[in-house]
Amino acid sequence: MTVQIQKYKMLIGGEWKDSSNSAVSSILDPSNNEVVAEVPRATKQDAKTAIESARTALDSAGWVDIDPSKRGRLLTKLTGLVRENSEQLARLETLSEGKTLRESKGDVAWAARAFEYWAGLADKVEGETIPVPPKRLNYTLREPLGVTVHIVPWNYPIALAARSLAPAIAAGNTVVMKPSEITPLTSIILGDLALKAGIPKGVVNIVTGSGAEVGGALVSDPQVDGIVFTGSAETGKQVMESAAKNVTRVLLELGGKNPHIVFPDADLARAGKSVRDGIFTNAGQMCWAGSRAFIHENVYDSFVKDLVAKTRAIKVGPGTDETSEMGPLASKSRQDVVLGFVKDGLEEGASLLCGGKRPTDPRLQKGNFVEPTIFENVNGQMKIGCDEIFGPVLSVTKFKTLDEVVTMANETDYGLYGGVWTSNLKVAHELAARLQVGGLAVNEYLVTFPQTPFGGYKDSGIGHENGIRSLEFYTRTKNVSINLS
Ligand code: NAD
């Protein structure tokens, strides 16, 4: 069967554009590496044009002077359009990222919820009056930050696009978004839906292109007021360096090497399922993947035996097949990287309990599949014990005491997220205080809402997405002091 290759354009200043040099990039289906779409491969000039469009829109009548509650209504409209188009969006997400349709539908629903949440907050961005010595009035104004650049990774394309687009618009900014070169399709559709919702031309610009060239041009442009970067710690550090040259504000949402800890008094059946899904959802391509499981010695043997059995039972296959439980990795290069980590683990002396290779099913040979993999005998000095693998590879480690597990869990440069399973509240609260992570889930895992802050400690990032406090990033505070004497 010949696949119809869809050709997309990018959105600059409210118009659909090709790249200024007409170059295109192919988008591949990771389950078979066939070309499914073509998108413009933007140039540095296109990046500049997009920033200029955003800047023009920022100061244009109809946006600079808009009633904030109208911004909220535009976001409400966008919420509805995302929901109406959720089937198409989920299909496109699976087609280019590879995750199962069930997961993509969840991501689209999450994106719609993010727009809905921020729709309600658009007219609640309040300043304050501050008590000062008499005969003065002192107050703060919360102004839009300005032109914000959003660099999005490929693992949760629509959810992460929505996560930053929604607050940026709610607060009155204008946006240039660069989706990942692997998964730009749902961001392009979001741009289309934003126009259809009535968001003025130039407020949302979507530029498709490479990280180094177009991403690099966007984050080093002095016309940009804020950069929201979601991606690897390595690239995040480069972005921060570029931003420093222009004193541009950055919000960095980076990687993780997250501990998932199980005490013997937990509901072990639920914990087992959670430890499995906490790493093998989206084929482990998650910043918040529970990639290091720590299991108490009293239950270690039976828990791990059951976990390995559950993991072997995961049905690996194309995301579009409704029976698949785990899709492929998003690209061939990611498959190579993950298999490279497996090799490193074996060479460093870790013990492979299951997986560790491409599946043997002949129907999966063209895709970027890797079997769900579990190692034991891993420590924090090994490459697989400290680097973010970003694939379906879990390490399991036995622990004896709470102090010991805290030390092991914190023995990483990352500090994004963690999970604890226990029925002892005292233990849960002690770990909440002692684990160096920006988010902790107790007796569940992989849980985040548009209203709850998400951000990392240590190399996992700076600042927060989600929740009212993320408005600190998307607004500037001006203090006004009026002498009344
Ligand atoms: P990546 O760093 O390779 O790329 C992320 C984005 O940055 C892409 O759009 C890419 O094109 C762009 N980019 C690359 N080089 C650039 C440069 N020099 N300047 C500007 N932009 C550039 O990351 P990835 O492989 O796409 O995503 C996986 C990483 O993202 C993992 O480390 C994961 O943990 C992290 N992540 C973090 C969160 C979070 O909320 N903390 C969420 C999802 C993913």
Side-chain angles (χ1 to χ4, degrees), residues 337-371:
V337 168
V338 170
L339 291 171
F341 271 113
V342 171
K343 191 163 166 277
D344 291 336
L346 292 171
E347 282 170 9
E348 286 172 315
S351 316
L352 188 63
L353 297 183
C354 63
K357 55 181 177 24
R358 296 180 176 87
T360 50
D361 184 340
R363 288 166 302 177
L364 304 183
Q365 298 312 305
K366 286 194 191 154
N368 313 319
F369 296 94
V370 172
E371 288 177 343

PDB file of all heavy atoms in Angstrom, residues 337-371:
ATOM      1  N   VAL A 337      20.895   4.460  20.372  1.00  0.00           N
ATOM      2  CA  VAL A 337      21.401   4.966  21.655  1.00  0.00           C
ATOM      3  C   VAL A 337      20.993   4.022  22.784  1.00  0.00           C
ATOM      4  O   VAL A 337      21.803   3.629  23.639  1.00  0.00           O
ATOM      5  CB  VAL A 337      20.877   6.400  21.932  1.00  0.00           C
ATOM      6  CG1 VAL A 337      21.145   6.808  23.371  1.00  0.00           C
ATOM      7  CG2 VAL A 337      21.489   7.397  20.970  1.00  0.00           C
ATOM      8  N   VAL A 338      19.725   3.605  22.775  1.00  0.00           N
ATOM      9  CA  VAL A 338      19.234   2.761  23.874  1.00  0.00           C
ATOM     10  C   VAL A 338      19.946   1.397  23.853  1.00  0.00           C
ATOM     11  O   VAL A 338      20.393   0.900  24.899  1.00  0.00           O
ATOM     12  CB  VAL A 338      17.694   2.615  23.791  1.00  0.00           C
ATOM     13  CG1 VAL A 338      17.193   1.558  24.759  1.00  0.00           C
ATOM     14  CG2 VAL A 338      17.034   3.963  24.093  1.00  0.00           C
ATOM     15  N   LEU A 339      20.107   0.815  22.670  1.00  0.00           N
ATOM     16  CA  LEU A 339      20.803  -0.477  22.603  1.00  0.00           C
ATOM     17  C   LEU A 339      22.276  -0.313  23.008  1.00  0.00           C
ATOM     18  O   LEU A 339      22.879  -1.218  23.582  1.00  0.00           O
ATOM     19  CB  LEU A 339      20.668  -1.091  21.208  1.00  0.00           C
ATOM     20  CG  LEU A 339      19.236  -1.548  20.878  1.00  0.00           C
ATOM     21  CD1 LEU A 339      19.102  -1.954  19.415  1.00  0.00           C
ATOM     22  CD2 LEU A 339      18.776  -2.690  21.799  1.00  0.00           C
ATOM     23  N   GLY A 340      22.824   0.871  22.739  1.00  0.00           N
ATOM     24  CA  GLY A 340      24.198   1.176  23.182  1.00  0.00           C
ATOM     25  C   GLY A 340      24.288   1.167  24.708  1.00  0.00           C
ATOM     26  O   GLY A 340      25.250   0.649  25.296  1.00  0.00           O
ATOM     27  N   PHE A 341      23.259   1.723  25.361  1.00  0.00           N
ATOM     28  CA  PHE A 341      23.236   1.719  26.834  1.00  0.00           C
ATOM     29  C   PHE A 341      23.165   0.282  27.364  1.00  0.00           C
ATOM     30  O   PHE A 341      23.795  -0.052  28.369  1.00  0.00           O
ATOM     31  CB  PHE A 341      22.042   2.517  27.353  1.00  0.00           C
ATOM     32  CG  PHE A 341      22.325   3.982  27.542  1.00  0.00           C
ATOM     33  CD1 PHE A 341      21.717   4.949  26.760  1.00  0.00           C
ATOM     34  CD2 PHE A 341      23.193   4.403  28.539  1.00  0.00           C
ATOM     35  CE1 PHE A 341      21.966   6.305  26.941  1.00  0.00           C
ATOM     36  CE2 PHE A 341      23.460   5.757  28.744  1.00  0.00           C
ATOM     37  CZ  PHE A 341      22.838   6.700  27.931  1.00  0.00           C
ATOM     38  N   VAL A 342      22.375  -0.550  26.689  1.00  0.00           N
ATOM     39  CA  VAL A 342      22.261  -1.952  27.134  1.00  0.00           C
ATOM     40  C   VAL A 342      23.647  -2.608  27.075  1.00  0.00           C
ATOM     41  O   VAL A 342      24.075  -3.291  28.010  1.00  0.00           O
ATOM     42  CB  VAL A 342      21.243  -2.724  26.255  1.00  0.00           C
ATOM     43  CG1 VAL A 342      21.282  -4.211  26.561  1.00  0.00           C
ATOM     44  CG2 VAL A 342      19.834  -2.161  26.458  1.00  0.00           C
ATOM     45  N   LYS A 343      24.356  -2.340  25.986  1.00  0.00           N
ATOM     46  CA  LYS A 343      25.704  -2.906  25.815  1.00  0.00           C
ATOM     47  C   LYS A 343      26.617  -2.404  26.950  1.00  0.00           C
ATOM     48  O   LYS A 343      27.328  -3.188  27.587  1.00  0.00           O
ATOM     49  CB  LYS A 343      26.242  -2.450  24.448  1.00  0.00           C
ATOM     50  CG  LYS A 343      27.482  -3.138  23.989  1.00  0.00           C
ATOM     51  CD  LYS A 343      27.641  -2.896  22.472  1.00  0.00           C
ATOM     52  CE  LYS A 343      29.036  -3.272  22.021  1.00  0.00           C
ATOM     53  NZ  LYS A 343      30.018  -2.217  22.237  1.00  0.00           N
ATOM     54  N   ASP A 344      26.546  -1.099  27.214  1.00  0.00           N
ATOM     55  CA  ASP A 344      27.358  -0.524  28.303  1.00  0.00           C
ATOM     56  C   ASP A 344      27.046  -1.234  29.621  1.00  0.00           C
ATOM     57  O   ASP A 344      27.945  -1.572  30.395  1.00  0.00           O
ATOM     58  CB  ASP A 344      27.034   0.963  28.508  1.00  0.00           C
ATOM     59  CG  ASP A 344      27.510   1.826  27.352  1.00  0.00           C
ATOM     60  OD1 ASP A 344      28.434   1.406  26.646  1.00  0.00           O
ATOM     61  OD2 ASP A 344      26.912   2.903  27.157  1.00  0.00           O
ATOM     62  N   GLY A 345      25.748  -1.441  29.876  1.00  0.00           N
ATOM     63  CA  GLY A 345      25.330  -2.065  31.130  1.00  0.00           C
ATOM     64  C   GLY A 345      25.935  -3.455  31.273  1.00  0.00           C
ATOM     65  O   GLY A 345      26.458  -3.809  32.340  1.00  0.00           O
ATOM     66  N   LEU A 346      25.878  -4.220  30.204  1.00  0.00           N
ATOM     67  CA  LEU A 346      26.422  -5.586  30.254  1.00  0.00           C
ATOM     68  C   LEU A 346      27.932  -5.534  30.475  1.00  0.00           C
ATOM     69  O   LEU A 346      28.479  -6.298  31.277  1.00  0.00           O
ATOM     70  CB  LEU A 346      26.084  -6.327  28.957  1.00  0.00           C
ATOM     71  CG  LEU A 346      24.593  -6.638  28.774  1.00  0.00           C
ATOM     72  CD1 LEU A 346      24.296  -7.169  27.376  1.00  0.00           C
ATOM     73  CD2 LEU A 346      24.114  -7.637  29.834  1.00  0.00           C
ATOM     74  N   GLU A 347      28.593  -4.597  29.786  1.00  0.00           N
ATOM     75  CA  GLU A 347      30.059  -4.503  29.937  1.00  0.00           C
ATOM     76  C   GLU A 347      30.451  -4.039  31.338  1.00  0.00           C
ATOM     77  O   GLU A 347      31.503  -4.411  31.849  1.00  0.00           O
ATOM     78  CB  GLU A 347      30.619  -3.517  28.889  1.00  0.00           C
ATOM     79  CG  GLU A 347      30.707  -4.163  27.509  1.00  0.00           C
ATOM     80  CD  GLU A 347      31.017  -3.170  26.390  1.00  0.00           C
ATOM     81  OE1 GLU A 347      31.334  -1.992  26.688  1.00  0.00           O
ATOM     82  OE2 GLU A 347      30.919  -3.586  25.228  1.00  0.00           O
ATOM     83  N   GLU A 348      29.580  -3.229  31.946  1.00  0.00           N
ATOM     84  CA  GLU A 348      29.899  -2.727  33.302  1.00  0.00           C
ATOM     85  C   GLU A 348      29.543  -3.732  34.385  1.00  0.00           C
ATOM     86  O   GLU A 348      29.726  -3.472  35.565  1.00  0.00           O
ATOM     87  CB  GLU A 348      29.131  -1.413  33.550  1.00  0.00           C
ATOM     88  CG  GLU A 348      29.685  -0.213  32.805  1.00  0.00           C
ATOM     89  CD  GLU A 348      28.778   1.010  32.928  1.00  0.00           C
ATOM     90  OE1 GLU A 348      27.543   0.863  32.766  1.00  0.00           O
ATOM     91  OE2 GLU A 348      29.288   2.103  33.196  1.00  0.00           O
ATOM     92  N   GLY A 349      28.957  -4.864  34.005  1.00  0.00           N
ATOM     93  CA  GLY A 349      28.700  -5.927  34.978  1.00  0.00           C
ATOM     94  C   GLY A 349      27.289  -5.995  35.528  1.00  0.00           C
ATOM     95  O   GLY A 349      27.028  -6.748  36.479  1.00  0.00           O
ATOM     96  N   ALA A 350      26.356  -5.214  34.947  1.00  0.00           N
ATOM     97  CA  ALA A 350      24.960  -5.319  35.393  1.00  0.00           C
ATOM     98  C   ALA A 350      24.371  -6.634  34.876  1.00  0.00           C
ATOM     99  O   ALA A 350      24.858  -7.186  33.886  1.00  0.00           O
ATOM    100  CB  ALA A 350      24.163  -4.135  34.861  1.00  0.00           C
ATOM    101  N   SER A 351      23.330  -7.137  35.563  1.00  0.00           N
ATOM    102  CA  SER A 351      22.721  -8.411  35.134  1.00  0.00           C
ATOM    103  C   SER A 351      21.408  -8.125  34.431  1.00  0.00           C
ATOM    104  O   SER A 351      20.534  -7.436  34.974  1.00  0.00           O
ATOM    105  CB  SER A 351      22.426  -9.294  36.345  1.00  0.00           C
ATOM    106  OG  SER A 351      23.503  -9.270  37.232  1.00  0.00           O
ATOM    107  N   LEU A 352      21.280  -8.680  33.244  1.00  0.00           N
ATOM    108  CA  LEU A 352      20.072  -8.477  32.441  1.00  0.00           C
ATOM    109  C   LEU A 352      19.006  -9.478  32.883  1.00  0.00           C
ATOM    110  O   LEU A 352      19.247 -10.688  32.864  1.00  0.00           O
ATOM    111  CB  LEU A 352      20.428  -8.692  30.962  1.00  0.00           C
ATOM    112  CG  LEU A 352      19.366  -8.352  29.932  1.00  0.00           C
ATOM    113  CD1 LEU A 352      19.021  -6.865  29.956  1.00  0.00           C
ATOM    114  CD2 LEU A 352      19.866  -8.738  28.530  1.00  0.00           C
ATOM    115  N   LEU A 353      17.826  -8.973  33.286  1.00  0.00           N
ATOM    116  CA  LEU A 353      16.754  -9.879  33.721  1.00  0.00           C
ATOM    117  C   LEU A 353      15.767 -10.157  32.596  1.00  0.00           C
ATOM    118  O   LEU A 353      15.146 -11.221  32.561  1.00  0.00           O
ATOM    119  CB  LEU A 353      16.010  -9.280  34.921  1.00  0.00           C
ATOM    120  CG  LEU A 353      16.842  -9.068  36.185  1.00  0.00           C
ATOM    121  CD1 LEU A 353      15.969  -8.548  37.313  1.00  0.00           C
ATOM    122  CD2 LEU A 353      17.542 -10.345  36.609  1.00  0.00           C
ATOM    123  N   CYS A 354      15.580  -9.197  31.697  1.00  0.00           N
ATOM    124  CA  CYS A 354      14.739  -9.458  30.526  1.00  0.00           C
ATOM    125  C   CYS A 354      14.986  -8.375  29.485  1.00  0.00           C
ATOM    126  O   CYS A 354      15.515  -7.308  29.794  1.00  0.00           O
ATOM    127  CB  CYS A 354      13.250  -9.519  30.893  1.00  0.00           C
ATOM    128  SG  CYS A 354      12.563  -7.998  31.535  1.00  0.00           S
ATOM    129  N   GLY A 355      14.602  -8.658  28.244  1.00  0.00           N
ATOM    130  CA  GLY A 355      14.728  -7.685  27.160  1.00  0.00           C
ATOM    131  C   GLY A 355      16.160  -7.503  26.713  1.00  0.00           C
ATOM    132  O   GLY A 355      16.934  -8.451  26.658  1.00  0.00           O
ATOM    133  N   GLY A 356      16.479  -6.238  26.344  1.00  0.00           N
ATOM    134  CA  GLY A 356      17.860  -5.914  25.992  1.00  0.00           C
ATOM    135  C   GLY A 356      18.167  -5.989  24.511  1.00  0.00           C
ATOM    136  O   GLY A 356      19.319  -5.831  24.113  1.00  0.00           O
ATOM    137  N   LYS A 357      17.147  -6.225  23.687  1.00  0.00           N
ATOM    138  CA  LYS A 357      17.429  -6.316  22.246  1.00  0.00           C
ATOM    139  C   LYS A 357      16.195  -5.908  21.439  1.00  0.00           C
ATOM    140  O   LYS A 357      15.133  -5.634  22.017  1.00  0.00           O
ATOM    141  CB  LYS A 357      17.876  -7.725  21.889  1.00  0.00           C
ATOM    142  CG  LYS A 357      16.919  -8.815  22.304  1.00  0.00           C
ATOM    143  CD  LYS A 357      17.475 -10.178  21.917  1.00  0.00           C
ATOM    144  CE  LYS A 357      16.636 -11.344  22.340  1.00  0.00           C
ATOM    145  NZ  LYS A 357      15.245 -11.228  22.579  1.00  0.00           N
ATOM    146  N   ARG A 358      16.359  -5.934  20.111  1.00  0.00           N
ATOM    147  CA  ARG A 358      15.195  -5.684  19.247  1.00  0.00           C
ATOM    148  C   ARG A 358      14.284  -6.895  19.345  1.00  0.00           C
ATOM    149  O   ARG A 358      14.769  -8.027  19.457  1.00  0.00           O
ATOM    150  CB  ARG A 358      15.639  -5.544  17.792  1.00  0.00           C
ATOM    151  CG  ARG A 358      16.525  -4.365  17.538  1.00  0.00           C
ATOM    152  CD  ARG A 358      16.899  -4.327  16.050  1.00  0.00           C
ATOM    153  NE  ARG A 358      17.673  -3.135  15.763  1.00  0.00           N
ATOM    154  CZ  ARG A 358      18.987  -3.059  15.885  1.00  0.00           C
ATOM    155  NH1 ARG A 358      19.696  -4.108  16.258  1.00  0.00           N
ATOM    156  NH2 ARG A 358      19.628  -1.930  15.633  1.00  0.00           N
ATOM    157  N   PRO A 359      12.969  -6.700  19.232  1.00  0.00           N
ATOM    158  CA  PRO A 359      12.093  -7.877  19.253  1.00  0.00           C
ATOM    159  C   PRO A 359      12.350  -8.745  18.012  1.00  0.00           C
ATOM    160  O   PRO A 359      12.764  -8.229  16.973  1.00  0.00           O
ATOM    161  CB  PRO A 359      10.684  -7.287  19.193  1.00  0.00           C
ATOM    162  CG  PRO A 359      10.820  -5.826  19.289  1.00  0.00           C
ATOM    163  CD  PRO A 359      12.237  -5.443  19.105  1.00  0.00           C
ATOM    164  N   THR A 360      12.111 -10.024  18.139  1.00  0.00           N
ATOM    165  CA  THR A 360      12.400 -10.925  17.009  1.00  0.00           C
ATOM    166  C   THR A 360      11.228 -11.026  16.031  1.00  0.00           C
ATOM    167  O   THR A 360      11.396 -11.531  14.927  1.00  0.00           O
ATOM    168  CB  THR A 360      12.734 -12.343  17.539  1.00  0.00           C
ATOM    169  OG1 THR A 360      11.699 -12.704  18.457  1.00  0.00           O
ATOM    170  CG2 THR A 360      14.074 -12.373  18.234  1.00  0.00           C
ATOM    171  N   ASP A 361      10.047 -10.550  16.418  1.00  0.00           N
ATOM    172  CA  ASP A 361       8.870 -10.615  15.546  1.00  0.00           C
ATOM    173  C   ASP A 361       9.198 -10.021  14.165  1.00  0.00           C
ATOM    174  O   ASP A 361       9.560  -8.837  14.070  1.00  0.00           O
ATOM    175  CB  ASP A 361       7.738  -9.803  16.218  1.00  0.00           C
ATOM    176  CG  ASP A 361       6.429  -9.883  15.443  1.00  0.00           C
ATOM    177  OD1 ASP A 361       6.458 -10.225  14.247  1.00  0.00           O
ATOM    178  OD2 ASP A 361       5.381  -9.594  16.057  1.00  0.00           O
ATOM    179  N   PRO A 362       9.091 -10.802  13.091  1.00  0.00           N
ATOM    180  CA  PRO A 362       9.471 -10.312  11.759  1.00  0.00           C
ATOM    181  C   PRO A 362       8.686  -9.066  11.334  1.00  0.00           C
ATOM    182  O   PRO A 362       9.193  -8.237  10.578  1.00  0.00           O
ATOM    183  CB  PRO A 362       9.147 -11.480  10.822  1.00  0.00           C
ATOM    184  CG  PRO A 362       8.613 -12.584  11.645  1.00  0.00           C
ATOM    185  CD  PRO A 362       8.604 -12.185  13.080  1.00  0.00           C
ATOM    186  N   ARG A 363       7.458  -8.886  11.879  1.00  0.00           N
ATOM    187  CA  ARG A 363       6.650  -7.724  11.483  1.00  0.00           C
ATOM    188  C   ARG A 363       7.200  -6.413  12.055  1.00  0.00           C
ATOM    189  O   ARG A 363       6.786  -5.337  11.664  1.00  0.00           O
ATOM    190  CB  ARG A 363       5.196  -7.907  11.958  1.00  0.00           C
ATOM    191  CG  ARG A 363       4.432  -8.964  11.178  1.00  0.00           C
ATOM    192  CD  ARG A 363       3.168  -9.329  11.885  1.00  0.00           C
ATOM    193  NE  ARG A 363       3.459  -9.824  13.246  1.00  0.00           N
ATOM    194  CZ  ARG A 363       2.540 -10.180  14.140  1.00  0.00           C
ATOM    195  NH1 ARG A 363       1.269 -10.072  13.837  1.00  0.00           N
ATOM    196  NH2 ARG A 363       2.888 -10.633  15.327  1.00  0.00           N
ATOM    197  N   LEU A 364       8.118  -6.515  13.012  1.00  0.00           N
ATOM    198  CA  LEU A 364       8.602  -5.297  13.674  1.00  0.00           C
ATOM    199  C   LEU A 364      10.004  -4.892  13.217  1.00  0.00           C
ATOM    200  O   LEU A 364      10.587  -3.950  13.753  1.00  0.00           O
ATOM    201  CB  LEU A 364       8.598  -5.510  15.197  1.00  0.00           C
ATOM    202  CG  LEU A 364       7.254  -5.919  15.819  1.00  0.00           C
ATOM    203  CD1 LEU A 364       7.380  -6.016  17.331  1.00  0.00           C
ATOM    204  CD2 LEU A 364       6.149  -4.926  15.450  1.00  0.00           C
ATOM    205  N   GLN A 365      10.542  -5.593  12.238  1.00  0.00           N
ATOM    206  CA  GLN A 365      11.960  -5.388  11.911  1.00  0.00           C
ATOM    207  C   GLN A 365      12.269  -4.018  11.293  1.00  0.00           C
ATOM    208  O   GLN A 365      13.371  -3.517  11.419  1.00  0.00           O
ATOM    209  CB  GLN A 365      12.467  -6.500  10.986  1.00  0.00           C
ATOM    210  CG  GLN A 365      12.399  -7.884  11.618  1.00  0.00           C
ATOM    211  CD  GLN A 365      12.987  -7.906  13.032  1.00  0.00           C
ATOM    212  OE1 GLN A 365      14.128  -7.516  13.247  1.00  0.00           O
ATOM    213  NE2 GLN A 365      12.201  -8.331  14.026  1.00  0.00           N
ATOM    214  N   LYS A 366      11.286  -3.402  10.629  1.00  0.00           N
ATOM    215  CA  LYS A 366      11.571  -2.107   9.993  1.00  0.00           C
ATOM    216  C   LYS A 366      11.448  -0.940  10.980  1.00  0.00           C
ATOM    217  O   LYS A 366      11.849   0.181  10.681  1.00  0.00           O
ATOM    218  CB  LYS A 366      10.583  -1.884   8.848  1.00  0.00           C
ATOM    219  CG  LYS A 366      10.859  -2.734   7.622  1.00  0.00           C
ATOM    220  CD  LYS A 366      10.027  -2.149   6.495  1.00  0.00           C
ATOM    221  CE  LYS A 366      10.006  -3.031   5.297  1.00  0.00           C
ATOM    222  NZ  LYS A 366       8.784  -2.787   4.513  1.00  0.00           N
ATOM    223  N   GLY A 367      10.845  -1.212  12.118  1.00  0.00           N
ATOM    224  CA  GLY A 367      10.599  -0.121  13.069  1.00  0.00           C
ATOM    225  C   GLY A 367      11.703  -0.021  14.116  1.00  0.00           C
ATOM    226  O   GLY A 367      12.624  -0.835  14.173  1.00  0.00           O
ATOM    227  N   ASN A 368      11.575   1.009  14.986  1.00  0.00           N
ATOM    228  CA  ASN A 368      12.628   1.292  15.984  1.00  0.00           C
ATOM    229  C   ASN A 368      12.291   0.656  17.327  1.00  0.00           C
ATOM    230  O   ASN A 368      12.337   1.308  18.359  1.00  0.00           O
ATOM    231  CB  ASN A 368      12.766   2.801  16.156  1.00  0.00           C
ATOM    232  CG  ASN A 368      12.817   3.531  14.836  1.00  0.00           C
ATOM    233  OD1 ASN A 368      13.470   3.059  13.909  1.00  0.00           O
ATOM    234  ND2 ASN A 368      12.121   4.651  14.735  1.00  0.00           N
ATOM    235  N   PHE A 369      11.918  -0.603  17.299  1.00  0.00           N
ATOM    236  CA  PHE A 369      11.455  -1.253  18.530  1.00  0.00           C
ATOM    237  C   PHE A 369      12.627  -1.757  19.380  1.00  0.00           C
ATOM    238  O   PHE A 369      13.651  -2.176  18.862  1.00  0.00           O
ATOM    239  CB  PHE A 369      10.549  -2.443  18.174  1.00  0.00           C
ATOM    240  CG  PHE A 369       9.291  -2.034  17.462  1.00  0.00           C
ATOM    241  CD1 PHE A 369       9.224  -2.030  16.071  1.00  0.00           C
ATOM    242  CD2 PHE A 369       8.175  -1.623  18.181  1.00  0.00           C
ATOM    243  CE1 PHE A 369       8.065  -1.639  15.408  1.00  0.00           C
ATOM    244  CE2 PHE A 369       7.005  -1.229  17.530  1.00  0.00           C
ATOM    245  CZ  PHE A 369       6.954  -1.237  16.136  1.00  0.00           C
ATOM    246  N   VAL A 370      12.426  -1.693  20.689  1.00  0.00           N
ATOM    247  CA  VAL A 370      13.373  -2.305  21.642  1.00  0.00           C
ATOM    248  C   VAL A 370      12.523  -3.009  22.689  1.00  0.00           C
ATOM    249  O   VAL A 370      11.502  -2.459  23.138  1.00  0.00           O
ATOM    250  CB  VAL A 370      14.265  -1.239  22.330  1.00  0.00           C
ATOM    251  CG1 VAL A 370      15.094  -1.857  23.447  1.00  0.00           C
ATOM    252  CG2 VAL A 370      15.187  -0.558  21.324  1.00  0.00           C
ATOM    253  N   GLU A 371      12.908  -4.200  23.058  1.00  0.00           N
ATOM    254  CA  GLU A 371      12.140  -4.932  24.074  1.00  0.00           C
ATOM    255  C   GLU A 371      12.206  -4.210  25.421  1.00  0.00           C
ATOM    256  O   GLU A 371      13.261  -3.650  25.763  1.00  0.00           O
ATOM    257  CB  GLU A 371      12.729  -6.335  24.263  1.00  0.00           C
ATOM    258  CG  GLU A 371      12.464  -7.261  23.109  1.00  0.00           C
ATOM    259  CD  GLU A 371      13.133  -8.621  23.331  1.00  0.00           C
ATOM    260  OE1 GLU A 371      14.024  -8.731  24.188  1.00  0.00           O
ATOM    261  OE2 GLU A 371      12.758  -9.553  22.628  1.00  0.00           O
TER     262      GLU A 371
END
